[in-house]
């Protein structure tokens, strides 16, 4: 099977094409190819398919075999992939995801893809959307787990993200994130983002992703973190906020209720894998 390995500021994915829907047991395939010792190694598997709703369809499966409805870094890589492989021809096109149809814009520099800009949709704090168990919302609420208190806000930004601002206490992404991901209040689990405000236009985000663990970047998590930081007045109410993740930087634009993400995507290598 032919594959491409791609990364978006350190969040890495294996890309394969399946235009005739021939792949069986795709969740098991994801676990195999994403294994960093016995496979290619990645945070997730991305399958490129035809769509009846958009110009192309993105299916993403986490490294542990669980399905994800949306991933910001993956969809930037997806945009670059389908453009450079001439699956789409225009600089603006649509992609079907598990979170609906997303609008993509390719930004060129000297005829090369420099950035991919993605319309991420509108955030929701509604407990039914996230979904939360018997909770109308989770906004600025203090939750104590194993004697440690966390002030948490959860928002749906394609997938559920819980935001914790690092103010007077430092958090460990692995130790704290793995503990909070599957709290009983989260019906389907939650990604956990630890956010540090650098200044009024810059923040840092470290993310524990459900199904993948601590990653070098999370596009939906960076988007959600900006949305919540704006809600609490922790950053300026301007369009562009710069977000630093361990793997690099993204630009998040909030235009009213609409969220856009802009950043790079790179091909790491290509090859064949026996399955």
């Amino acid at each position: 099977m032919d594959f491409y390995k791609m990364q978006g500021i350190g969040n890495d994915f294996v890309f394969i094409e399946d235009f005739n829907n021939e792949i069986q047991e795709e969740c098991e395939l994801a676990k195999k190819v994403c294994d960093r010792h016995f496979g290619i190694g990645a945070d997730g598997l991305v399958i490129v398919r035809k769509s009846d709703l958009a110009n192309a369809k993105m299916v993403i499966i986490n490294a542990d075999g669980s399905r994800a409805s949306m991933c910001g870094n993956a969809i930037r890589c997806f945009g670059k992939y389908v453009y450079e492989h001439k699956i789409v021809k225009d600089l603006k096109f649509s992609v079907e995801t598990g979170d609906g149809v997303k609008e993509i814009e390719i930004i060129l520099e000297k005829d090369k893809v420099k950035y991919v800009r993605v319309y991420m949709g509108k955030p929701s704090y509604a407990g039914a959307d996230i979904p939360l168990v018997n909770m109308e919302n989770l906004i600025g609420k203090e939750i104590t787990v194993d004697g440690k208190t966390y002030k948490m806000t959860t928002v749906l930004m394609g997938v559920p993200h819980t935001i914790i601002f690092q103010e007077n206490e430092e958090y460990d992404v692995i130790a704290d994130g793995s503990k909070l991901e599957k709290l009983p209040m989260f019906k389907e689990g939650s990604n956990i983002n630890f956010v540090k405000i650098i200044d009024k236009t810059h923040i840092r985000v470290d993310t524990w992703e459900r199904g993948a663990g601590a990653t070098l970047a999370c596009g939906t998590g960076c988007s959600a973190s900006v949305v919540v930081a704006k809600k609490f007045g922790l950053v300026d109410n301007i369009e562009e906020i710069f977000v630093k993740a361990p793997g690099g930087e993204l630009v998040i634009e909030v235009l009213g209720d609409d969220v856009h993400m802009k950043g790079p995507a790179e091909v790491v290598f290509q090859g064949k894998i026996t399955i």
Side-chain angles (χ1 to χ4, degrees):
M1 176 179 288
D2 295 323
F3 73 89
Y4 277 74
K5 175 77 176 286
M6 300 187 71
Q7 62 88 10
I9 62 172
N11 204 189
D12 57 347
F13 309 93
V14 174
F15 273 70
I16 57 176
E17 296 179 3
D18 184 33
F19 295 127
N20 296 318
N21 297 308
E22 296 174 338
I23 294 176
Q24 304 295 322
E25 303 294 336
E26 56 194 27
C27 292
E28 290 302 314
L29 176 63
K31 289 192 286 185
K32 179 175 181 178
V33 302
C34 292
D35 190 292
R36 297 189 185 276
H37 299 286
F38 297 100
I40 300 163
D43 293 322
L45 170 68
V46 174
I47 303 174
V48 185
R49 288 184 169 139
K50 296 177 181 178
S51 172
D52 295 327
L53 303 175
N55 297 113
K57 180 178 181 179
M58 180 182 81
V59 175
I60 180 164
I61 304 169
N62 294 317
D64 69 349
S66 61
R67 295 182 181 275
S69 56
M70 174 59 182
C71 174
N73 290 316
I75 200 169
R76 285 203 324 280
C77 292
F78 188 94
K80 177 182 174 76
Y81 184 97
V82 295
Y83 179 78
E84 292 187 337
H85 286 77
K86 303 187 186 307
I87 296 168
V88 301
K89 296 181 180 180
D90 297 326
L91 293 175
K92 293 184 178 182
F93 53 90
S94 58
V95 174
E96 179 186 352
T97 75
D99 186 47
V101 174
K102 304 298 181 183
E103 300 299 322
I104 308 292
E105 179 183 359
I106 301 296
I107 300 171
L108 301 177
E109 184 177 88
K110 296 181 180 178
D111 296 325
K112 302 288 186 181
V113 177
K114 182 174 178 60
Y115 295 118
V116 181
R117 184 173 184 263
V118 182
Y119 173 58
M120 301 294 286
K122 302 177 187 293
S124 173
Y125 295 94
D129 293 338
I130 290 169
L132 298 171
V133 177
N134 298 323
M135 296 178 70
E136 186 175 327
N137 57 53
L138 180 59
I139 301 175
K141 184 173 182 178
E142 291 188 350
I143 305 292
T144 301
V145 181
D146 295 337
K148 190 172 183 178
T149 300
Y150 306 85
K151 190 173 183 180
M152 303 164 59
T153 297
T154 301
V155 60
L156 184 74
M157 192 73 249
V159 290
H161 279 280
T162 296
I163 312 302
I164 299 171
F165 292 102
Q166 302 193 57
E167 297 173 303
N168 299 320
E169 186 170 1
E170 293 292 324
Y171 299 98
D172 183 275
V173 176
I174 297 175
D176 292 294
S178 59
K179 182 166 55 178
L180 300 176
E181 172 195 355
K182 297 180 180 179
L183 288 178
M185 67 187 69
F186 301 127
K187 190 173 182 179
E188 299 173 1
S190 176
N191 300 281
I192 310 297
N193 304 271
F194 301 98
V195 181
K196 185 176 182 62
I197 305 298
I198 300 171
D199 58 36
K200 286 293 187 176
T201 57
H202 295 77
I203 68 173
R204 179 180 173 88
V205 178
D206 294 278
T207 303
W208 173 269
E209 292 194 56
R210 61 177 187 177
T215 58
L216 293 178
C218 176
T220 52
C222 290
S223 301
S225 297
V226 170
V227 166
V228 176
K230 280 180 174 275
K231 181 179 181 64
F232 291 142
L234 300 176
V235 294
D236 285 340
N237 191 28
I238 58 175
E239 289 183 3
E240 290 189 345
I241 299 296
F242 298 87
V243 184
K244 182 72 174 177
E249 187 175 77
L250 295 175
V251 180
I252 306 300
E253 305 168 69
V254 181
L255 310 172
D257 290 331
D258 295 315
V259 181
H260 296 261
M261 172 195 59
K262 182 174 72 176
E266 302 292 338
V267 176
V268 180
F269 59 87
Q270 66 183 94
K272 294 180 181 289
I273 186 171
T274 303
I275 59 172

